[in-house]
Amino acid sequence: MTATTRLGLLAALGLLLSACPPPPTKGDGGVDAGTEDCIEDADCPDPNLFYCNQSTSKCEPACRTKNDCTAEVRKDWALDYCGGNLGCQCDEGKCVASLCSADPDCGSQVCRNGACTAAPAESSITSCQVTPDYVVLRAGAKAKFYLSAWDSAKNPVVPKTGVTWSALTAAVTGSGTGLSAEFTGAAANTSAEDAVQAKIGGATCKAKVLVLPGTVPANNVDVLVVDELSGRPVQGASILASVPTTGATIGAVGTTDAKGYARLNITGGQNLVSVSAFHDDYNYLTIANYDMSTSSPDARFLAMALRRNQVDKFGGYKGTFNGVPATPNVHAGIAGMSLAGSITDLSIAQLLGPSVPTHVKIGTAIDKADVPLPAGVYLGFTDTVIKKDISAQGLAGTCTDASGAPREAEILSGSCGTRTAWALAGDVPLGDLPIDAFASGTSNIDFGAVLGKIIPIFRRFNSSISRDVQFTLKTTPRKTNGDPDFSNVTEFTPVNHDFAQVPLAFSFVVRSPDLPQFKGAYVDGAMFLGGALVSGRGVVPLGMGAAVNQNTDAKTDLQAGLAAPGLVQLRMAPTHHGIEGTDYGVVALALSLKSANDASAGIASSAVMGRVPGNRIAFDPTGSTVVDLPSPYLKFPENAKYNFTNTAQGALPPRTFKFASDPGLTGTGGATVVRVVFTDNLDHRWVVYLSPAQATTGFALPPPPGTFADRTFYTGSTTGSRAPILVQAIRLTEDPSKSTAPAISYEKLVELNSFNSDRMVDFTTGFVFIDYGRPEVDWLTPKDANSTVAAASAIKVKVSAFKVGTAATDDGYVKVTFTGGNASCTAVDGKTDASQGKGEISMNLPAGCTGSNVTMTATLYGQDNQAIKPPAASSITVNIQ
């Protein structure tokens, strides 16, 4: 509550206590508005225009329709804040000031921070930046450039008019006006040069362009390697061609030059080749099974955008929330940094940051010590701050000095970045939280009831944005167990968020496509994220929604006030504080919760990503005009297999990945690319692109050349355990704002043209993934080494990413062997999971088995009665008496 509001309430209270009550006055709903004591609505001046707030026992303005908020209806209880040119909306029974979402909402004015205002003067702009600021093009390929601008105080400015674009050299052709313009690569140049210019007011800014020749000789493959998030060429990457069916190297290994360019000669008449790029500082990338005989105009020139190893360095911002309301409520916030590049290539460790053990006490309902809250969470209750400090990490990219010039040395070393800091924060009455649903634990929760209480809470949240947060990154230290240590945020950039910057004022309805099935059952529900796609910064969240599927059918359950199942209400703020004019988008994540009760099932989600028609959102809580999301959800890429070894495993050749059955990712609405990701213990990745049409053919990976670690293994060594596998599929279209836009083919994605993977988020309309993880086994009973175990007692292990059982669809079983002990200590097998899918496998020690310093080793065995390869095992030494 603001100081002005508190003073107004005190003044009104004084008038109420005076001997002769004054007549009602306009402006704040009358003297009775928010001050009249009440027990029920009938105690208020007009029960049609007021309601009794049971939390405060005060009358507050109410409405049933938008018309109830107008001065014509309210008369003496008119609301000043509803008198503006946008008026008010009746939002869940309360009159709230309407916001704008785009310039067309405001006639001759512009929409800034959700309000209609005069357009900023061009003369107020003193500096600007073009993003991307560095582009490598092939002659004939197109690239889109965007303008960011600032005033003399470095506040973001979004101009309405006055921006002009021009080509400075023969390297490109194009021109334009407005916040963006498209240019086409023309004449090849020998090095990157300032080729694109934008001017606004007294500010001029430029972008560098490098244009490569377009002709590739027969029996050759040209390769361009760039940094996905900075656009700079990657020099010194090793480029290797291999036979798709065997992984055998073809010809010599090439190396990229200062332009990120290399040429490979393909010997032996191969029509299909796989091409891989290796660099220690970046993810490896393999383009599998590329067709050399393609007739594409971009044939045999491949584009490879590599992402820098995401957790080798870390940096970001830190701060807290300003203006937290002084109310007797729960004050909750979550902060983060914009999601740069492809949203399918996130590092969860980096996204969430370190967990902070926190003592959470909220009234008498919650009192728990050492709750691991993510670094970006703010939490308070009444006047008690439970967790004040927030921090969030960003990915390396570009940065500038005080003059606006790129800091090239830091960009090339991955030591800086610029992203948008965002936060969502809400002031929520304790009674509105579904705490009672969790009172008896987390089993048998009525998620429908929980969701029914959560959805209205979104109305109480606000969005906060700081568009341009520049930060440095430093080398990430490692803990003793090898995990990254992100705890030291001393050098993070200080940024505080406003708790109530702009409300999530827009309630609107989207239509989800029919839900997909995972492991033979429809998914359990969906989460919806509304946001903006900000050039050079990434995806900025602006709101959210949720739906469940308790009916376990193809539709999300019917939500209150909506016409049909499959319709979902979202809450979202407009673009604000410098990101106005960017595209609104909605991501729907269909979620399977099977991994919660089946330890063998990986985390799985299928998503669709749509743009909002007209790039405007409206207050439409009942869905009179529904926003349709792209259809369909991609099918889950189930039944994927990879042979990590150099020898055949059954019918699977060495180092070969393939699907045992067709995953159904082709055809209308199908995927552009299957993306297979191996991640080692340092979070270094080997990414493979595969055409969905070749899913059951698969690919064979080559051994990495030279001294490069083999990231298909957890420690980079072929003698170690396997790396976790993530299998994704992504659908791309040339213009996601149009439902009739042509799909991007696999060849068009991997060839150097206007649709390359460094812009994948611009073209994404759907993606799906299964985290296959890696089979692991750990001891539960006994848990501590050197402990004493009773003879013939029960032992128990925990198995994950491996289905224990004897059915043909099961993976195998657990075998426990003994080193030491007497002759009775013979192997025991655990072939049954009686833990209802938790992966807790119980066995008993062999009768008569005793001894000191006995080592028990639990190993995972396949259905062929052989230990899986690479092995998955865990040992513990105990005393058996």
Side-chain angles (χ1 to χ4, degrees):
M1 185 181 296
T2 65
T4 302
T5 304
R6 287 196 295 269
L7 288 172
L9 291 177
L10 288 173
L13 182 59
L15 290 171
L16 285 170
L17 294 174
S18 60
C20 297
T25 60
K26 296 182 180 181
D28 62 354
V31 296
D32 295 313
T35 62
E36 182 78 5
D37 290 334
C38 61
I39 297 175
E40 56 186 17
D41 293 353
D43 297 332
C44 298
D46 184 340
N48 293 316
L49 301 178
F50 294 89
Y51 81 103
C52 182
N53 187 326
Q54 298 299 314
S55 298
T56 62
S57 298
K58 300 290 183 181
C59 294
E60 294 185 10
C63 56
R64 292 177 175 81
T65 67
K66 179 178 180 177
N67 199 45
D68 289 342
C69 301
T70 63
E72 290 77 11
V73 171
R74 302 194 72 87
K75 295 184 172 39
D76 291 333
W77 293 291
L79 304 167
D80 273 354
Y81 59 82
C82 293
N85 54 353
L86 294 175
C88 273
Q89 301 288 354
C90 185
D91 191 351
E92 295 185 13
K94 292 186 178 182
C95 294
V96 297
S98 298
L99 303 187
C100 58
S101 71
D103 287 353
D105 294 341
C106 297
S108 61
Q109 294 185 307
V110 295
C111 181
R112 299 295 179 265
N113 303 332
C116 293
T117 186
E122 294 176 26
S123 59
S124 68
I125 296 173
T126 59
S127 61
C128 64
Q129 182 183 44
V130 174
T131 54
D133 69 339
Y134 193 118
V135 173
V136 184
L137 287 174
R138 191 179 186 182
K142 300 179 184 295
K144 195 170 186 179
F145 297 85
Y146 299 82
L147 177 88
S148 298
W150 297 267
D151 62 18
S152 58
K154 296 303 290 183
N155 296 311
V157 179
V158 182
K160 182 177 183 180
T161 58
V163 183
T164 59
W165 296 84
S166 59
L168 298 178
T169 73
V172 296
T173 59
S175 61
T177 60
L179 296 176
S180 63
E182 191 172 73
F183 289 80
T184 303
N189 48 14
T190 57
S191 61
E193 58 186 347
D194 289 332
V196 172
Q197 175 177 275
K199 296 185 69 175
I200 173 69
T204 300
C205 40
K206 303 172 184 178
K208 292 185 180 296
V209 179
L210 172 64
V211 180
L212 299 177
T215 303
V216 182
N219 299 320
N220 284 269
V221 171
D222 284 2
V223 177
L224 170 69
V225 181
V226 298
D227 182 309
E228 178 197 355
L229 299 181
S230 74
R232 271 62 174 175
V234 175
Q235 185 175 5
S238 294
I239 309 299
L240 178 152
S242 60
V243 179
T245 55
T246 66
T249 300
I250 302 172
V253 176
T255 304
T256 55
D257 61 16
K259 296 180 181 180
Y261 169 82
R263 172 169 288 172
L264 298 179
N265 179 247
I266 307 301
T267 60
Q270 286 285 138
N271 282 332
L272 293 180
V273 298
S274 293
V275 179
S276 302
F278 301 89
H279 195 293
D280 285 331
D281 295 336
Y282 292 84
N283 62 259
Y284 303 162
L285 177 62
T286 295
I287 295 174
N289 305 4
Y290 176 71
D291 187 354
M292 292 280 290
S293 64
T294 177
S295 59
S296 160
D298 305 308
R300 301 189 309 284
F301 203 141
L302 302 183
M304 308 182 84
L306 307 188
R307 178 167 293 196
R308 190 175 291 276
N309 296 331
Q310 296 185 78
V311 301
D312 283 1
K313 295 182 179 181
F314 79 115
Y317 78 95
K318 62 182 179 181
T320 188
F321 282 91
N322 295 327
V324 179
T327 63
N329 296 333
V330 176
H331 311 125
I334 179 70
M337 294 203 93
S338 52
L339 308 177
S342 173
I343 59 176
T344 63
D345 201 14
L346 300 176
S347 166
I348 299 301
Q350 188 176 55
L351 181 67
L352 297 178
S355 295
V356 180
T358 306
H359 183 189
V360 177
K361 188 177 190 310
I362 300 178
T364 58
I366 299 176
D367 188 352
K368 190 172 183 180
D370 296 327
V371 177
L373 296 181
V377 166
Y378 175 96
L379 188 62
F381 178 57
T382 63
D383 58 354
T384 300
V385 177
I386 297 170
K387 182 177 178 293
K388 176 182 179 182
D389 297 329
I390 57 173
S391 64
Q393 296 182 43
L395 294 175
T398 63
C399 56
T400 59
D401 60 21
S403 71
R407 288 156 39 189
E408 286 296 337
E410 293 174 64
I411 294 171
L412 293 176
S413 65
S415 299
C416 69
T418 307
R419 305 291 171 214
T420 296
W422 63 267
L424 299 172
D427 179 41
V428 183
L430 183 60
D432 287 2
L433 296 171
I435 293 174
D436 53 330
F438 299 89
S440 58
T442 57
S443 60
N444 300 318
I445 294 174
D446 183 350
F447 285 100
V450 171
L451 187 65
K453 296 195 72 172
I454 287 177
I455 289 174
I457 291 174
F458 294 158
R459 178 177 62 82
R460 300 181 180 276
F461 273 70
N462 305 281
S463 167
S464 176
I465 285 173
S466 180
R467 189 186 71 180
D468 309 298
V469 177
Q470 190 162 282
F471 53 92
T472 59
L473 295 99
K474 63 181 182 180
T475 300
T476 306
R478 295 277 173 174
K479 300 176 182 178
T480 54
N481 65 356
D483 290 342
D485 184 354
F486 298 129
S487 59
N488 185 358
V489 298
T490 304
E491 298 181 34
F492 279 30
T493 301
V495 176
N496 289 337
H497 282 287
D498 294 328
F499 193 87
Q501 196 175 66
V502 173
L504 273 57
F506 288 92
S507 176
F508 62 100
V509 177
V510 300
R511 180 181 285 110
S512 170
D514 283 356
L515 297 172
Q517 296 185 60
F518 179 52
K519 291 187 177 293
Y522 286 104
V523 296
D524 300 279
M527 291 295 298
F528 295 78
L529 177 70
L533 298 136
V534 183
S535 175
R537 302 294 180 261
V539 176
V540 178
L542 292 169
M544 59 196 130
V548 296
N549 182 28
Q550 291 188 307
N551 292 330
T552 62
D553 57 14
K555 302 289 186 183
T556 57
D557 293 350
L558 180 66
Q559 293 190 350
L562 301 186
L567 300 180
V568 182
Q569 190 180 85
L570 266 70
R571 275 280 173 182
M572 191 167 165
T575 51
H576 60 96
H577 286 83
I579 67 170
E580 292 90 345
T582 57
D583 290 342
Y584 286 107
V586 175
V587 177
L589 286 158
L591 302 169
S592 169
L593 301 180
K594 281 189 178 295
S595 61
N597 52 31
D598 182 353
S600 69
I603 298 172
S605 178
S606 183
V608 292
M609 184 174 178
R611 278 60 171 178
V612 177
N615 205 30
R616 297 165 70 181
I617 53 177
F619 183 85
D620 184 12
T622 60
S624 58
T625 301
V626 173
V627 175
D628 285 299
L629 296 178
S631 180
Y633 286 104
L634 290 171
K635 293 182 179 180
F636 286 97
E638 299 185 64
N639 301 315
K641 304 289 184 182
Y642 179 70
N643 178 3
F644 290 82
T645 72
N646 291 322
T647 58
Q649 301 294 314
L652 198 59
R655 296 182 65 83
T656 296
F657 173 96
K658 66 170 62 177
F659 287 89
S661 58
D662 184 0
L665 295 170
T666 57
T668 303
T672 298
V673 62
V674 173
R675 193 170 178 271
V676 183
V677 184
F678 301 87
T679 305
D680 68 17
N681 63 325
L682 299 176
D683 206 32
H684 296 171
R685 303 177 181 186
W686 189 338
V687 179
V688 186
Y689 289 172
L690 176 70
S691 169
Q694 297 173 328
T696 56
T697 301
F699 58 80
L701 284 179
T707 60
F708 288 106
D710 191 337
R711 295 177 181 174
T712 66
F713 289 85
Y714 197 55
T715 60
S717 169
T718 56
T719 61
S721 60
R722 68 185 69 190
I725 300 179
L726 179 74
V727 181
Q728 304 171 327
I730 306 170
R731 181 177 60 230
L732 308 170
T733 60
E734 294 187 8
D735 186 351
S737 67
K738 299 177 181 178
S739 60
T740 57
I744 296 175
S745 67
Y746 177 71
E747 288 74 19
K748 186 171 286 188
L749 172 67
V750 301
E751 293 172 345
L752 181 58
N753 50 44
S754 307
F755 304 102
N756 298 136
S757 58
D758 58 337
R759 295 181 58 199
M760 194 176 289
V761 70
D762 295 338
F763 310 118
T764 299
T765 61
F767 61 90
V768 62
F769 70 84
I770 298 176
D771 184 356
Y772 281 79
R774 66 189 192 115
E776 293 184 276
V777 57
D778 294 292
W779 282 96
L780 294 178
T781 306
K783 190 170 184 62
D784 298 323
N786 302 314
S787 58
T788 298
V789 180
S793 64
I795 56 175
K796 184 187 296 185
V797 295
K798 168 75 172 180
V799 175
S800 57
F802 186 90
K803 191 169 183 61
V804 172
T806 57
T809 54
D810 295 332
D811 294 316
Y813 59 96
V814 181
K815 181 182 286 292
V816 177
T817 57
F818 300 83
T819 303
N822 60 23
S824 297
C825 294
T826 56
V828 293
D829 296 339
K831 296 187 175 183
T832 303
D833 182 355
S835 65
Q836 296 182 324
K838 295 179 182 178
E840 298 177 358
I841 311 303
S842 296
M843 295 156 280
N844 282 90
L845 290 171
C849 174
T850 59
S852 299
N853 297 321
V854 179
T855 298
M856 302 189 298
T857 301
T859 304
L860 299 183
Y861 273 61
Q863 298 284 27
D864 59 359
N865 295 317
Q866 300 294 317
I868 65 171
K869 298 178 181 179
S874 178
S875 298
I876 191 170
T877 299
V878 295
N879 300 306
I880 304 175
Q881 296 179 356

